[in-house]
Amino acid sequence: MVKRYFRPEIELLSRDALKELQFKRLKKIINKVYNLVPHYREKFKRAGVKPSNLKSLEDIRLFPFTTREDLFVDYPFGLLAEPLEKVVRLHTSSGTTGKPKALFFSKEDIKAQAELIARSLVMSGATASDILQNSMTYGLFTGALVMHYGAELLGMLVIPAGPGNTERQIELMQTFGTTCIHMTPSYALYVATIIQERGIRPGIDIKLKRAYLGAEPYSEETRRKIETMLKVEVYNCYGLSEMGGPGVGFECPAKDGLHIWEDAFLVEVVNPNTGEPLNPGEVGELVLTTLNRTAMPLIRYRTKDLTTLLEGPCHCGRTHIKIARILGRADDMFIVRGVNIFPQQIEGVLMSIKGVAQNYQIILEGYDEMTIKVEIDREFFDGRIERILKLREEITERLRQALQVRPKVELVEPGTLPISEGKAKRVIDKRVL
Ligand code: ADP
Ligand code: ZN
């Protein structure tokens, strides 16, 4: 089973051969959308390009970007490149306001994405004898279902736990000997804390080996904290509904960047303001083109996710390009007193400080004040006030150094701040600016 999903003829393909394969697929998909999707044909015409202008892979730059807004023109079926009878699945992505984005998949699309997941799981060392507890949200969200299909394809035993009910999650882990979990990093931190508080011993009472964590940004420090608390290897798993859900980017055992399967996606990183391509090492917006999607292909889709391309061969031997851990979405960034800040920067500092527990919240209020509420270990609430004050000073000072802005820090007991079973909401903006 496992052998079938390790695909050396694709995963280890030389860069040149990989580019050739991509070009062949790109030509096909550009032709397809031009011929079958009026929305694309019109856009291409307005930009003055035709499929015949695509003479090399680099010529993709001649074609216009697809944005989130495009998904709402002729909503919901406008971007379909196949008749409805070929479409078997709808997923939506939350979209904080208004209508949800509607994404459609054919049978082939579902299978292809599941195969990418199976390939990624094998890359992390998983086999058919692993037991995956899938604690992402099932339903319209792609997160759980796509992983579920991929893990089943590989032959893993899948426990469709869904999120929440932490006591039951832990009970499932103990009863069935869960070896792998799939959840958001913020929920994993919470579960880890409860496991610790209950005196359950990772490695003895529960036998987790790997945690696949994604759906929201997190820092290297959070990864390390979860790895230590749960005695697991954490693999970063990135995806978005528009690209078929999780499994778009996945870490290999080198764990220094996420491979994007380039037989399925064409990867660009562009300057978010000008749309110009950026070099490896420069941070910009990830732009993806689906190379073998059938129902709803997306050309040069602006993900709004910020990252950078990592150059050079990977220790694991795979040739597919790597991106750095996602810094956040362009719209996650907030500005305090003229300084650009991503929540992940704050998280990175907090999670590296001893005494800080798993949860925090960023509150922006008044005329540009930033208060950070931080849960700290219970042992600090033993009446020795000077220990708490010292910790608060350390947290404040470390944040000031990292952010160049001095926040107000409030320390609270574990379990005080709202927990999230799905994507965490870290920033509350109540400013009167
Ligand atoms: P939405 O959040 O808009 O409902 P999705 O559920 O499709 O959309 O979530 C996709 C988004 O989640 C990505 O565009 C990215 O911002 C974020 N995301 C997913 N996985 C990761 C990850 N491993 N690291 C950082 N961000 C991630
Ligand atoms: Zn690798």
Side-chain angles (χ1 to χ4, degrees):
M1 253 330 200
V2 168
K3 274 214 182 95
R4 222 171 104 201
Y5 294 104
F6 171 51
R7 303 279 303 276
E9 80 286 4
I10 294 175
E11 295 177 42
L12 310 180
L13 204 59
S14 74
R15 292 291 312 161
D16 284 346
L18 193 52
K19 285 190 170 169
E20 214 172 287
L21 175 73
Q22 286 191 305
F23 182 53
K24 218 168 74 194
R25 293 187 172 175
L26 182 64
K27 259 201 318 212
K28 207 168 137 195
I29 207 115
I30 290 273
N31 270 298
K32 177 170 171 167
V33 298
Y34 184 80
N35 292 323
L36 298 176
V37 186
H39 179 76
Y40 275 115
R41 190 162 50 241
E42 289 311 313
K43 273 191 86 156
F44 289 4
K45 274 190 186 151
R46 272 195 308 255
V49 281
K50 285 202 183 92
S52 56
N53 292 119
L54 189 82
K55 301 210 165 61
S56 74
L57 209 49
E58 284 66 39
D59 289 338
I60 185 66
R61 292 177 198 157
L62 304 172
F63 290 80
F65 292 115
T66 304
T67 62
R68 284 167 192 230
E69 289 68 43
D70 285 305
L71 302 180
F72 293 101
V73 181
D74 306 328
Y75 182 83
F77 299 118
L79 288 184
L80 282 189
E82 294 284 344
L84 257 187
E85 70 238 37
K86 287 273 166 83
V87 178
V88 300
R89 174 83 65 83
L90 163 74
H91 277 294
T92 67
S93 133
S94 51
T96 36
T97 51
K99 290 182 283 194
K101 285 173 254 168
L103 293 315
F104 299 97
F105 303 90
S106 68
K107 239 182 216 163
E108 295 78 38
D109 295 335
I110 300 278
K111 182 161 170 274
Q113 196 75 10
E115 280 176 357
L116 291 186
I117 292 278
R119 199 198 280 178
S120 307
L121 292 172
V122 170
M123 174 166 76
S124 76
T127 70
S129 17
D130 274 300
I131 301 172
L132 176 82
Q133 191 163 321
N134 195 6
S135 311
M136 287 284 190
T137 308
Y138 277 81
L140 285 166
F141 175 58
T142 47
L145 275 171
V146 170
M147 177 63 82
H148 185 116
Y149 275 53
E152 269 189 7
L153 204 58
L154 170 60
M156 287 167 115
L157 168 62
V158 183
I159 307 175
N165 199 341
T166 308
E167 299 296 338
R168 196 193 49 164
Q169 298 278 357
I170 297 171
E171 211 175 279
L172 287 170
M173 289 177 195
Q174 287 182 296
T175 310
F176 299 104
T178 303
T179 59
C180 302
I181 49 175
H182 177 220
M183 54 179 72
T184 60
S186 47
Y187 190 50
L189 272 173
Y190 180 74
V191 172
T193 310
I194 300 296
I195 285 178
Q196 213 168 45
E197 284 186 358
R198 300 283 182 279
I200 295 163
R201 295 159 303 173
I204 299 167
D205 304 320
I206 50 169
K207 304 237 160 42
L208 300 178
K209 288 191 282 193
R210 292 175 213 90
Y212 304 110
L213 305 183
E216 63 187 11
Y218 59 114
S219 61
E220 210 40 55
E221 289 77 9
T222 293
R223 177 226 293 277
R224 276 200 287 276
K225 187 158 180 159
I226 295 169
E227 287 190 332
T228 314
M229 287 176 89
L230 289 179
K231 290 202 166 67
V232 288
E233 296 286 328
V234 168
Y235 289 90
N236 193 350
C237 168
Y238 163 77
L240 60 164
S241 320
E242 294 91 316
M243 292 293 128
V248 173
F250 216 98
E251 278 181 326
C252 66
K255 293 206 282 188
D256 58 358
L258 296 88
H259 285 286
I260 297 198
W261 298 119
E262 287 181 283
D263 52 321
F265 302 102
L266 182 66
V267 183
E268 299 172 81
V269 171
V270 305
N271 178 320
N273 302 318
T274 64
E276 287 303 308
L278 293 177
N279 294 318
E282 296 176 321
V283 175
E285 182 177 348
L286 182 66
V287 172
L288 296 169
T289 298
T290 59
L291 290 175
N292 51 10
R293 186 69 31 90
T294 64
M296 190 173 165
L298 290 173
I299 309 297
R300 301 197 85 199
Y301 186 71
R302 304 273 304 239
T303 66
K304 296 213 171 162
D305 288 325
L306 300 177
T307 183
T308 180
L309 295 172
L310 302 174
E311 230 178 359
C314 184
H315 285 308
C316 78
R318 289 175 184 81
T319 50
H320 295 234
I321 195 137
K322 284 200 296 192
I323 56 164
R325 145 192 308 284
I326 303 281
L327 185 61
R329 278 190 189 163
D331 36 21
D332 286 341
M333 194 191 76
F334 58 91
I335 302 174
V336 174
R337 285 175 243 156
V339 180
N340 298 349
I341 300 174
F342 281 97
Q344 196 187 146
Q345 286 172 283
I346 294 178
E347 182 198 275
V349 172
L350 293 178
M351 293 306 150
S352 67
I353 299 176
K354 206 164 173 302
V356 169
Q358 96 288 353
N359 209 350
Y360 68 97
Q361 202 173 47
I362 303 162
I363 298 158
L364 308 175
E365 54 197 343
Y367 293 95
D368 226 6
E369 298 303 320
M370 174 164 60
T371 301
I372 303 181
K373 289 190 179 175
V374 185
E375 289 187 2
I376 56 170
D377 293 341
R378 212 174 287 284
E379 46 160 331
F380 280 88
F381 297 90
D382 60 356
R384 284 188 288 162
I385 192 84
E386 63 294 350
R387 280 179 74 211
I388 290 205
L389 291 178
K390 202 167 149 242
L391 180 61
R392 191 176 69 182
E393 188 45 38
E394 185 191 347
I395 295 174
T396 310
E397 184 50 26
R398 291 272 303 277
L399 286 168
R400 191 196 59 77
Q401 281 168 12
L403 308 174
Q404 306 303 320
V405 173
R406 189 181 171 87
K408 192 168 149 230
V409 172
E410 270 178 35
L411 304 183
V412 297
E413 281 190 67
T416 316
L417 299 174
I419 65 144
S420 55
E421 294 156 359
K423 292 172 193 260
K425 180 159 174 38
R426 297 296 194 190
V427 185
I428 297 172
D429 196 341
K430 303 193 282 196
R431 282 177 293 189
V432 290
L433 291 179

